[in-house]
PDB file of all heavy atoms in Angstrom:
ATOM      1  N   ARG A 283      18.495  45.852 -59.041  1.00  0.00           N
ATOM      2  CA  ARG A 283      17.346  46.651 -58.601  1.00  0.00           C
ATOM      3  C   ARG A 283      16.023  46.145 -59.180  1.00  0.00           C
ATOM      4  O   ARG A 283      15.012  46.157 -58.511  1.00  0.00           O
ATOM      5  CB  ARG A 283      17.536  48.117 -58.985  1.00  0.00           C
ATOM      6  CG  ARG A 283      18.482  48.860 -58.072  1.00  0.00           C
ATOM      7  CD  ARG A 283      17.792  49.371 -56.817  1.00  0.00           C
ATOM      8  NE  ARG A 283      18.801  49.891 -55.896  1.00  0.00           N
ATOM      9  CZ  ARG A 283      19.089  49.348 -54.729  1.00  0.00           C
ATOM     10  NH1 ARG A 283      18.430  48.296 -54.308  1.00  0.00           N
ATOM     11  NH2 ARG A 283      20.020  49.851 -53.959  1.00  0.00           N
ATOM     12  N   THR A 294       3.137  54.935 -47.870  1.00  0.00           N
ATOM     13  CA  THR A 294       3.051  56.296 -48.427  1.00  0.00           C
ATOM     14  C   THR A 294       4.438  56.757 -48.883  1.00  0.00           C
ATOM     15  O   THR A 294       4.552  57.609 -49.745  1.00  0.00           O
ATOM     16  CB  THR A 294       2.470  57.300 -47.427  1.00  0.00           C
ATOM     17  OG1 THR A 294       3.272  57.279 -46.260  1.00  0.00           O
ATOM     18  CG2 THR A 294       1.035  56.987 -47.076  1.00  0.00           C
ATOM     19  N   ASN A 295       5.476  56.147 -48.290  1.00  0.00           N
ATOM     20  CA  ASN A 295       6.839  56.477 -48.721  1.00  0.00           C
ATOM     21  C   ASN A 295       7.207  55.800 -50.037  1.00  0.00           C
ATOM     22  O   ASN A 295       8.204  56.141 -50.661  1.00  0.00           O
ATOM     23  CB  ASN A 295       7.861  56.051 -47.658  1.00  0.00           C
ATOM     24  CG  ASN A 295       7.747  56.903 -46.425  1.00  0.00           C
ATOM     25  OD1 ASN A 295       7.406  58.078 -46.508  1.00  0.00           O
ATOM     26  ND2 ASN A 295       7.992  56.316 -45.270  1.00  0.00           N
ATOM     27  N   HIS A 296       6.405  54.809 -50.412  1.00  0.00           N
ATOM     28  CA  HIS A 296       6.690  54.064 -51.642  1.00  0.00           C
ATOM     29  C   HIS A 296       6.264  54.865 -52.872  1.00  0.00           C
ATOM     30  O   HIS A 296       6.851  54.730 -53.943  1.00  0.00           O
ATOM     31  CB  HIS A 296       5.942  52.730 -51.586  1.00  0.00           C
ATOM     32  CG  HIS A 296       5.896  52.002 -52.882  1.00  0.00           C
ATOM     33  ND1 HIS A 296       6.885  51.131 -53.286  1.00  0.00           N
ATOM     34  CD2 HIS A 296       4.989  52.027 -53.888  1.00  0.00           C
ATOM     35  CE1 HIS A 296       6.569  50.646 -54.467  1.00  0.00           C
ATOM     36  NE2 HIS A 296       5.433  51.174 -54.860  1.00  0.00           N
ATOM     37  N   LEU A 298       5.786  57.521 -55.625  1.00  0.00           N
ATOM     38  CA  LEU A 298       6.587  58.603 -56.214  1.00  0.00           C
ATOM     39  C   LEU A 298       5.792  59.413 -57.235  1.00  0.00           C
ATOM     40  O   LEU A 298       6.317  60.362 -57.800  1.00  0.00           O
ATOM     41  CB  LEU A 298       7.843  58.028 -56.875  1.00  0.00           C
ATOM     42  CG  LEU A 298       8.838  57.315 -55.948  1.00  0.00           C
ATOM     43  CD1 LEU A 298       9.993  56.734 -56.751  1.00  0.00           C
ATOM     44  CD2 LEU A 298       9.389  58.265 -54.904  1.00  0.00           C
ATOM     45  N   CYS A 299       4.549  59.016 -57.484  1.00  0.00           N
ATOM     46  CA  CYS A 299       3.720  59.754 -58.451  1.00  0.00           C
ATOM     47  C   CYS A 299       2.325  59.955 -57.864  1.00  0.00           C
ATOM     48  O   CYS A 299       1.900  59.180 -57.008  1.00  0.00           O
ATOM     49  CB  CYS A 299       3.596  58.973 -59.752  1.00  0.00           C
ATOM     50  SG  CYS A 299       5.166  58.765 -60.568  1.00  0.00           S
ATOM     51  N   PRO A 300       1.598  60.972 -58.338  1.00  0.00           N
ATOM     52  CA  PRO A 300       0.310  61.272 -57.697  1.00  0.00           C
ATOM     53  C   PRO A 300      -0.826  60.274 -57.942  1.00  0.00           C
ATOM     54  O   PRO A 300      -1.527  59.919 -57.017  1.00  0.00           O
ATOM     55  CB  PRO A 300      -0.060  62.657 -58.243  1.00  0.00           C
ATOM     56  CG  PRO A 300       0.769  62.874 -59.439  1.00  0.00           C
ATOM     57  CD  PRO A 300       1.993  62.038 -59.290  1.00  0.00           C
ATOM     58  N   GLU A 304      -0.059  56.277 -62.720  1.00  0.00           N
ATOM     59  CA  GLU A 304       1.266  56.869 -62.910  1.00  0.00           C
ATOM     60  C   GLU A 304       2.293  56.195 -62.004  1.00  0.00           C
ATOM     61  O   GLU A 304       3.424  55.950 -62.405  1.00  0.00           O
ATOM     62  CB  GLU A 304       1.226  58.376 -62.614  1.00  0.00           C
ATOM     63  CG  GLU A 304       0.591  59.191 -63.733  1.00  0.00           C
ATOM     64  CD  GLU A 304       0.241  60.608 -63.329  1.00  0.00           C
ATOM     65  OE1 GLU A 304       0.154  60.887 -62.108  1.00  0.00           O
ATOM     66  OE2 GLU A 304       0.024  61.430 -64.210  1.00  0.00           O
ATOM     67  N   ASP A 305       1.861  55.893 -60.777  1.00  0.00           N
ATOM     68  CA  ASP A 305       2.806  55.279 -59.849  1.00  0.00           C
ATOM     69  C   ASP A 305       3.113  53.823 -60.228  1.00  0.00           C
ATOM     70  O   ASP A 305       4.257  53.378 -60.113  1.00  0.00           O
ATOM     71  CB  ASP A 305       2.277  55.340 -58.415  1.00  0.00           C
ATOM     72  CG  ASP A 305       3.388  55.043 -57.443  1.00  0.00           C
ATOM     73  OD1 ASP A 305       4.186  55.955 -57.181  1.00  0.00           O
ATOM     74  OD2 ASP A 305       3.503  53.883 -57.001  1.00  0.00           O
ATOM     75  N   SER A 309       8.265  52.607 -62.373  1.00  0.00           N
ATOM     76  CA  SER A 309       9.557  51.907 -62.497  1.00  0.00           C
ATOM     77  C   SER A 309       9.827  51.460 -63.926  1.00  0.00           C
ATOM     78  O   SER A 309      10.974  51.452 -64.374  1.00  0.00           O
ATOM     79  CB  SER A 309       9.613  50.711 -61.556  1.00  0.00           C
ATOM     80  OG  SER A 309       9.500  51.167 -60.241  1.00  0.00           O
ATOM     81  N   ALA A 312      10.876  54.509 -65.741  1.00  0.00           N
ATOM     82  CA  ALA A 312      12.204  54.933 -65.287  1.00  0.00           C
ATOM     83  C   ALA A 312      13.310  54.106 -65.928  1.00  0.00           C
ATOM     84  O   ALA A 312      14.416  54.590 -66.115  1.00  0.00           O
ATOM     85  CB  ALA A 312      12.295  54.841 -63.768  1.00  0.00           C
ATOM     86  N   GLN A 317       5.698  54.310 -73.038  1.00  0.00           N
ATOM     87  CA  GLN A 317       4.487  54.555 -72.241  1.00  0.00           C
ATOM     88  C   GLN A 317       3.360  53.568 -72.568  1.00  0.00           C
ATOM     89  O   GLN A 317       2.722  53.026 -71.664  1.00  0.00           O
ATOM     90  CB  GLN A 317       4.021  55.988 -72.483  1.00  0.00           C
ATOM     91  CG  GLN A 317       2.811  56.371 -71.645  1.00  0.00           C
ATOM     92  CD  GLN A 317       2.504  57.852 -71.752  1.00  0.00           C
ATOM     93  OE1 GLN A 317       3.309  58.693 -71.389  1.00  0.00           O
ATOM     94  NE2 GLN A 317       1.331  58.157 -72.259  1.00  0.00           N
ATOM     95  N   LEU A 321       1.660  51.019 -70.036  1.00  0.00           N
ATOM     96  CA  LEU A 321       0.236  51.127 -69.703  1.00  0.00           C
ATOM     97  C   LEU A 321      -0.486  49.792 -69.872  1.00  0.00           C
ATOM     98  O   LEU A 321      -1.351  49.436 -69.075  1.00  0.00           O
ATOM     99  CB  LEU A 321      -0.433  52.194 -70.567  1.00  0.00           C
ATOM    100  CG  LEU A 321      -0.184  53.640 -70.140  1.00  0.00           C
ATOM    101  CD1 LEU A 321      -0.741  54.615 -71.150  1.00  0.00           C
ATOM    102  CD2 LEU A 321      -0.782  53.913 -68.771  1.00  0.00           C
ATOM    103  N   GLN A 338      -7.366  56.011 -61.712  1.00  0.00           N
ATOM    104  CA  GLN A 338      -7.157  57.465 -61.818  1.00  0.00           C
ATOM    105  C   GLN A 338      -7.169  58.163 -60.454  1.00  0.00           C
ATOM    106  O   GLN A 338      -7.109  59.385 -60.385  1.00  0.00           O
ATOM    107  CB  GLN A 338      -8.245  58.100 -62.712  1.00  0.00           C
ATOM    108  CG  GLN A 338      -8.312  57.557 -64.119  1.00  0.00           C
ATOM    109  CD  GLN A 338      -7.027  57.779 -64.902  1.00  0.00           C
ATOM    110  OE1 GLN A 338      -6.165  58.578 -64.521  1.00  0.00           O
ATOM    111  NE2 GLN A 338      -6.855  57.053 -65.996  1.00  0.00           N
ATOM    112  N   PHE A 342      -2.648  59.079 -52.351  1.00  0.00           N
ATOM    113  CA  PHE A 342      -2.718  59.457 -50.935  1.00  0.00           C
ATOM    114  C   PHE A 342      -4.156  59.530 -50.411  1.00  0.00           C
ATOM    115  O   PHE A 342      -4.379  59.650 -49.219  1.00  0.00           O
ATOM    116  CB  PHE A 342      -2.001  60.791 -50.715  1.00  0.00           C
ATOM    117  CG  PHE A 342      -0.569  60.742 -51.162  1.00  0.00           C
ATOM    118  CD1 PHE A 342      -0.156  61.380 -52.308  1.00  0.00           C
ATOM    119  CD2 PHE A 342       0.363  60.002 -50.445  1.00  0.00           C
ATOM    120  CE1 PHE A 342       1.159  61.309 -52.737  1.00  0.00           C
ATOM    121  CE2 PHE A 342       1.690  59.925 -50.866  1.00  0.00           C
ATOM    122  CZ  PHE A 342       2.084  60.580 -52.019  1.00  0.00           C
ATOM    123  N   ASP A 343      -5.136  59.485 -51.338  1.00  0.00           N
ATOM    124  CA  ASP A 343      -6.537  59.519 -50.916  1.00  0.00           C
ATOM    125  C   ASP A 343      -7.110  58.123 -50.705  1.00  0.00           C
ATOM    126  O   ASP A 343      -8.258  57.977 -50.295  1.00  0.00           O
ATOM    127  CB  ASP A 343      -7.396  60.246 -51.973  1.00  0.00           C
ATOM    128  CG  ASP A 343      -7.071  61.726 -52.048  1.00  0.00           C
ATOM    129  OD1 ASP A 343      -6.470  62.237 -51.080  1.00  0.00           O
ATOM    130  OD2 ASP A 343      -7.405  62.372 -53.063  1.00  0.00           O
TER     131      ASP A 343
ATOM    132  N   LYS B 122      -5.585  69.739 -56.980  1.00  0.00           N
ATOM    133  CA  LYS B 122      -4.634  69.214 -56.001  1.00  0.00           C
ATOM    134  C   LYS B 122      -3.311  69.940 -56.225  1.00  0.00           C
ATOM    135  O   LYS B 122      -3.008  70.330 -57.360  1.00  0.00           O
ATOM    136  CB  LYS B 122      -4.430  67.709 -56.228  1.00  0.00           C
ATOM    137  CG  LYS B 122      -5.671  66.899 -56.019  1.00  0.00           C
ATOM    138  CD  LYS B 122      -5.757  66.398 -54.608  1.00  0.00           C
ATOM    139  CE  LYS B 122      -7.073  65.713 -54.347  1.00  0.00           C
ATOM    140  NZ  LYS B 122      -7.272  65.385 -52.952  1.00  0.00           N
ATOM    141  N   TYR B 124      -0.574  68.803 -56.658  1.00  0.00           N
ATOM    142  CA  TYR B 124       0.255  68.104 -57.638  1.00  0.00           C
ATOM    143  C   TYR B 124       0.059  68.654 -59.045  1.00  0.00           C
ATOM    144  O   TYR B 124       0.900  68.466 -59.917  1.00  0.00           O
ATOM    145  CB  TYR B 124      -0.062  66.612 -57.650  1.00  0.00           C
ATOM    146  CG  TYR B 124      -0.199  66.044 -56.286  1.00  0.00           C
ATOM    147  CD1 TYR B 124      -1.376  65.457 -55.865  1.00  0.00           C
ATOM    148  CD2 TYR B 124       0.867  66.108 -55.392  1.00  0.00           C
ATOM    149  CE1 TYR B 124      -1.502  64.942 -54.594  1.00  0.00           C
ATOM    150  CE2 TYR B 124       0.748  65.589 -54.129  1.00  0.00           C
ATOM    151  CZ  TYR B 124      -0.437  65.012 -53.728  1.00  0.00           C
ATOM    152  OH  TYR B 124      -0.558  64.502 -52.474  1.00  0.00           O
ATOM    153  N   ARG B 128       2.348  68.963 -62.497  1.00  0.00           N
ATOM    154  CA  ARG B 128       1.868  68.476 -63.798  1.00  0.00           C
ATOM    155  C   ARG B 128       1.925  69.602 -64.845  1.00  0.00           C
ATOM    156  O   ARG B 128       2.332  69.392 -65.980  1.00  0.00           O
ATOM    157  CB  ARG B 128       0.423  68.009 -63.610  1.00  0.00           C
ATOM    158  CG  ARG B 128       0.000  66.892 -64.507  1.00  0.00           C
ATOM    159  CD  ARG B 128      -1.451  66.592 -64.237  1.00  0.00           C
ATOM    160  NE  ARG B 128      -1.630  65.809 -63.033  1.00  0.00           N
ATOM    161  CZ  ARG B 128      -1.461  64.498 -62.991  1.00  0.00           C
ATOM    162  NH1 ARG B 128      -1.095  63.861 -64.069  1.00  0.00           N
ATOM    163  NH2 ARG B 128      -1.634  63.830 -61.869  1.00  0.00           N
ATOM    164  N   TYR B 144       7.218  68.511 -57.267  1.00  0.00           N
ATOM    165  CA  TYR B 144       6.254  67.487 -56.888  1.00  0.00           C
ATOM    166  C   TYR B 144       6.552  66.915 -55.493  1.00  0.00           C
ATOM    167  O   TYR B 144       5.649  66.807 -54.655  1.00  0.00           O
ATOM    168  CB  TYR B 144       6.222  66.347 -57.921  1.00  0.00           C
ATOM    169  CG  TYR B 144       5.410  65.187 -57.429  1.00  0.00           C
ATOM    170  CD1 TYR B 144       4.033  65.295 -57.297  1.00  0.00           C
ATOM    171  CD2 TYR B 144       6.017  64.019 -57.009  1.00  0.00           C
ATOM    172  CE1 TYR B 144       3.277  64.266 -56.787  1.00  0.00           C
ATOM    173  CE2 TYR B 144       5.284  62.978 -56.503  1.00  0.00           C
ATOM    174  CZ  TYR B 144       3.913  63.102 -56.393  1.00  0.00           C
ATOM    175  OH  TYR B 144       3.177  62.085 -55.860  1.00  0.00           O
ATOM    176  N   ARG B 155      -1.389  66.585 -43.433  1.00  0.00           N
ATOM    177  CA  ARG B 155      -2.262  65.504 -42.968  1.00  0.00           C
ATOM    178  C   ARG B 155      -1.890  65.104 -41.542  1.00  0.00           C
ATOM    179  O   ARG B 155      -2.752  64.920 -40.680  1.00  0.00           O
ATOM    180  CB  ARG B 155      -2.136  64.271 -43.871  1.00  0.00           C
ATOM    181  CG  ARG B 155      -2.902  64.369 -45.159  1.00  0.00           C
ATOM    182  CD  ARG B 155      -2.443  63.253 -46.091  1.00  0.00           C
ATOM    183  NE  ARG B 155      -2.704  63.591 -47.463  1.00  0.00           N
ATOM    184  CZ  ARG B 155      -3.661  63.031 -48.203  1.00  0.00           C
ATOM    185  NH1 ARG B 155      -4.422  62.106 -47.688  1.00  0.00           N
ATOM    186  NH2 ARG B 155      -3.847  63.382 -49.444  1.00  0.00           N
ATOM    187  N   LYS B 195      10.861  61.233 -43.121  1.00  0.00           N
ATOM    188  CA  LYS B 195      10.088  60.931 -44.326  1.00  0.00           C
ATOM    189  C   LYS B 195      10.925  61.166 -45.588  1.00  0.00           C
ATOM    190  O   LYS B 195      10.863  60.372 -46.519  1.00  0.00           O
ATOM    191  CB  LYS B 195       8.840  61.814 -44.362  1.00  0.00           C
ATOM    192  CG  LYS B 195       7.624  61.027 -44.733  1.00  0.00           C
ATOM    193  CD  LYS B 195       6.359  61.809 -44.582  1.00  0.00           C
ATOM    194  CE  LYS B 195       5.172  61.059 -45.079  1.00  0.00           C
ATOM    195  NZ  LYS B 195       4.959  59.722 -44.679  1.00  0.00           N
ATOM    196  N   ASP B 198      13.286  58.304 -45.925  1.00  0.00           N
ATOM    197  CA  ASP B 198      12.609  57.100 -46.426  1.00  0.00           C
ATOM    198  C   ASP B 198      12.297  57.229 -47.915  1.00  0.00           C
ATOM    199  O   ASP B 198      12.372  56.251 -48.671  1.00  0.00           O
ATOM    200  CB  ASP B 198      11.313  56.849 -45.645  1.00  0.00           C
ATOM    201  CG  ASP B 198      11.595  56.378 -44.226  1.00  0.00           C
ATOM    202  OD1 ASP B 198      12.739  55.974 -43.966  1.00  0.00           O
ATOM    203  OD2 ASP B 198      10.680  56.435 -43.370  1.00  0.00           O
ATOM    204  N   THR B 202      13.317  54.844 -51.093  1.00  0.00           N
ATOM    205  CA  THR B 202      12.372  54.365 -52.107  1.00  0.00           C
ATOM    206  C   THR B 202      12.873  54.707 -53.506  1.00  0.00           C
ATOM    207  O   THR B 202      12.775  53.900 -54.429  1.00  0.00           O
ATOM    208  CB  THR B 202      10.985  55.004 -51.889  1.00  0.00           C
ATOM    209  OG1 THR B 202      10.534  54.653 -50.600  1.00  0.00           O
ATOM    210  CG2 THR B 202       9.978  54.542 -52.917  1.00  0.00           C
ATOM    211  N   GLN B 204      15.872  54.988 -54.490  1.00  0.00           N
ATOM    212  CA  GLN B 204      16.934  54.029 -54.840  1.00  0.00           C
ATOM    213  C   GLN B 204      16.324  52.691 -55.227  1.00  0.00           C
ATOM    214  O   GLN B 204      16.675  52.107 -56.245  1.00  0.00           O
ATOM    215  CB  GLN B 204      17.859  53.798 -53.656  1.00  0.00           C
ATOM    216  CG  GLN B 204      18.828  54.938 -53.401  1.00  0.00           C
ATOM    217  CD  GLN B 204      19.591  54.696 -52.113  1.00  0.00           C
ATOM    218  OE1 GLN B 204      19.897  53.573 -51.757  1.00  0.00           O
ATOM    219  NE2 GLN B 204      19.883  55.764 -51.402  1.00  0.00           N
ATOM    220  N   ARG B 206      13.355  51.970 -56.292  1.00  0.00           N
ATOM    221  CA  ARG B 206      12.476  51.948 -57.466  1.00  0.00           C
ATOM    222  C   ARG B 206      13.147  52.499 -58.731  1.00  0.00           C
ATOM    223  O   ARG B 206      12.491  52.695 -59.746  1.00  0.00           O
ATOM    224  CB  ARG B 206      11.189  52.708 -57.177  1.00  0.00           C
ATOM    225  CG  ARG B 206      10.373  52.073 -56.054  1.00  0.00           C
ATOM    226  CD  ARG B 206       9.006  52.692 -55.955  1.00  0.00           C
ATOM    227  NE  ARG B 206       8.169  52.364 -57.097  1.00  0.00           N
ATOM    228  CZ  ARG B 206       6.988  52.928 -57.322  1.00  0.00           C
ATOM    229  NH1 ARG B 206       6.523  53.821 -56.493  1.00  0.00           N
ATOM    230  NH2 ARG B 206       6.273  52.594 -58.380  1.00  0.00           N
ATOM    231  N   GLY B 207      14.414  52.771 -58.640  1.00  0.00           N
ATOM    232  CA  GLY B 207      15.161  53.192 -59.833  1.00  0.00           C
ATOM    233  C   GLY B 207      14.858  54.603 -60.303  1.00  0.00           C
ATOM    234  O   GLY B 207      14.839  54.867 -61.511  1.00  0.00           O
ATOM    235  N   LYS B 209      15.349  58.247 -61.498  1.00  0.00           N
ATOM    236  CA  LYS B 209      16.493  58.928 -62.132  1.00  0.00           C
ATOM    237  C   LYS B 209      16.105  60.370 -62.433  1.00  0.00           C
ATOM    238  O   LYS B 209      15.970  60.756 -63.594  1.00  0.00           O
ATOM    239  CB  LYS B 209      16.892  58.205 -63.411  1.00  0.00           C
ATOM    240  CG  LYS B 209      17.564  56.872 -63.155  1.00  0.00           C
ATOM    241  CD  LYS B 209      17.737  56.122 -64.467  1.00  0.00           C
ATOM    242  CE  LYS B 209      18.020  54.658 -64.192  1.00  0.00           C
ATOM    243  NZ  LYS B 209      17.335  53.771 -65.103  1.00  0.00           N
ATOM    244  N   ARG B 211      13.512  61.939 -62.566  1.00  0.00           N
ATOM    245  CA  ARG B 211      12.334  62.260 -63.365  1.00  0.00           C
ATOM    246  C   ARG B 211      11.119  61.467 -62.918  1.00  0.00           C
ATOM    247  O   ARG B 211      11.226  60.271 -62.661  1.00  0.00           O
ATOM    248  CB  ARG B 211      12.637  61.956 -64.837  1.00  0.00           C
ATOM    249  CG  ARG B 211      11.511  62.364 -65.714  1.00  0.00           C
ATOM    250  CD  ARG B 211      11.814  62.354 -67.162  1.00  0.00           C
ATOM    251  NE  ARG B 211      10.582  62.814 -67.811  1.00  0.00           N
ATOM    252  CZ  ARG B 211      10.366  62.724 -69.093  1.00  0.00           C
ATOM    253  NH1 ARG B 211      11.265  62.229 -69.860  1.00  0.00           N
ATOM    254  NH2 ARG B 211       9.235  63.160 -69.615  1.00  0.00           N
ATOM    255  N   ILE B 212       9.976  62.161 -62.839  1.00  0.00           N
ATOM    256  CA  ILE B 212       8.731  61.424 -62.649  1.00  0.00           C
ATOM    257  C   ILE B 212       7.901  61.586 -63.916  1.00  0.00           C
ATOM    258  O   ILE B 212       8.046  62.568 -64.634  1.00  0.00           O
ATOM    259  CB  ILE B 212       7.941  61.866 -61.390  1.00  0.00           C
ATOM    260  CG1 ILE B 212       7.899  63.372 -61.274  1.00  0.00           C
ATOM    261  CG2 ILE B 212       8.479  61.231 -60.149  1.00  0.00           C
ATOM    262  CD1 ILE B 212       6.987  63.828 -60.162  1.00  0.00           C
ATOM    263  N   PHE B 214       4.371  61.894 -65.763  1.00  0.00           N
ATOM    264  CA  PHE B 214       2.946  62.201 -65.620  1.00  0.00           C
ATOM    265  C   PHE B 214       2.191  61.672 -66.833  1.00  0.00           C
ATOM    266  O   PHE B 214       2.689  61.710 -67.951  1.00  0.00           O
ATOM    267  CB  PHE B 214       2.732  63.704 -65.505  1.00  0.00           C
ATOM    268  CG  PHE B 214       3.216  64.270 -64.208  1.00  0.00           C
ATOM    269  CD1 PHE B 214       4.316  65.097 -64.163  1.00  0.00           C
ATOM    270  CD2 PHE B 214       2.561  63.970 -63.024  1.00  0.00           C
ATOM    271  CE1 PHE B 214       4.776  65.623 -62.969  1.00  0.00           C
ATOM    272  CE2 PHE B 214       3.010  64.482 -61.818  1.00  0.00           C
ATOM    273  CZ  PHE B 214       4.111  65.307 -61.795  1.00  0.00           C
ATOM    274  N   LEU B 215       0.983  61.223 -66.565  1.00  0.00           N
ATOM    275  CA  LEU B 215       0.167  60.684 -67.651  1.00  0.00           C
ATOM    276  C   LEU B 215      -1.043  61.543 -67.950  1.00  0.00           C
ATOM    277  O   LEU B 215      -1.148  62.159 -68.978  1.00  0.00           O
ATOM    278  CB  LEU B 215      -0.353  59.301 -67.248  1.00  0.00           C
ATOM    279  CG  LEU B 215       0.418  58.083 -67.635  1.00  0.00           C
ATOM    280  CD1 LEU B 215      -0.365  56.875 -67.189  1.00  0.00           C
ATOM    281  CD2 LEU B 215       0.651  58.042 -69.123  1.00  0.00           C
ATOM    282  N   THR B 216      -1.930  61.554 -66.982  1.00  0.00           N
ATOM    283  CA  THR B 216      -3.230  62.186 -67.208  1.00  0.00           C
ATOM    284  C   THR B 216      -3.085  63.694 -67.278  1.00  0.00           C
ATOM    285  O   THR B 216      -2.404  64.301 -66.468  1.00  0.00           O
ATOM    286  CB  THR B 216      -4.189  61.839 -66.056  1.00  0.00           C
ATOM    287  OG1 THR B 216      -3.460  61.976 -64.857  1.00  0.00           O
ATOM    288  CG2 THR B 216      -4.736  60.455 -66.185  1.00  0.00           C
TER     289      THR B 216
END
Side-chain angles (χ1 to χ4, degrees):
Chain A
R283 282 276 171 247
T294 57
N295 291 328
H296 167 87
L298 297 177
C299 297
E304 284 166 342
D305 195 79
S309 298
Q317 183 171 298
L321 282 173
Q338 301 299 345
F342 303 107
D343 292 342
Chain B
K122 297 268 174 188
Y124 316 120
R128 211 182 282 279
Y144 170 69
R155 281 167 203 253
K195 225 172 174 49
D198 289 344
T202 301
Q204 284 173 34
R206 297 190 69 189
K209 288 171 197 140
R211 185 169 181 192
I212 44 172
F214 290 111
L215 267 184
T216 44

